[in-house]
């Protein structure tokens, strides 16, 4: 997380993980029902991941290509 690359990877992984957890019904009510604090950040990341799923998936593919080939 000490570089811009690491920060982008962390953000993409957070959005993808929270969007995945939003699809699981029990975890959605347990983890993502709170909208304040750290769970609020997870809730907002899950909303971003589900609404912009095409852009997030393309970003994940581009970041994976960059990390594997570019570095």
């Amino acid at each position: 997380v000490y570089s811009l690359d690491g920060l982008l990877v962390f953000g993409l992984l957070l959005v993808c993980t929270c969007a995945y957890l939003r699809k699981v019904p029990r975890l959605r009510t347990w983890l993502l029902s709170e909208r304040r604090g750290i769970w609020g950040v997870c809730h907002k990341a899950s909303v971003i991941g589900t609404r912009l799923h095409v852009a997030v998936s393309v970003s994940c593919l581009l970041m994976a290509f960059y990390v594997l080939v570019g570095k």
Side-chain angles (χ1 to χ4, degrees):
V1 185
Y2 297 114
S3 65
L4 182 62
D5 299 343
L7 188 63
L8 288 175
V9 169
F10 177 76
L12 283 172
L13 287 175
L14 177 73
V15 168
C16 292
T17 303
C18 290
Y20 176 76
L21 291 177
R22 186 179 174 99
K23 297 293 182 183
V24 180
R26 283 192 186 188
L27 292 177
R28 182 178 183 177
T29 58
W30 185 52
L31 292 176
L32 300 173
S33 61
E34 187 67 35
R35 296 182 187 214
R36 291 180 293 176
I38 189 69
W39 297 119
V41 173
C42 291
H43 173 75
K44 290 176 184 178
S46 69
V47 169
I48 290 170
T50 54
R51 290 187 183 170
L52 299 174
H53 64 278
V54 174
V56 170
S57 63
V58 169
S59 299
C60 285
L61 289 174
L62 290 174
M63 183 56 72
F65 182 75
Y66 173 73
V67 167
L68 290 175
V69 177
K71 277 189 156 180

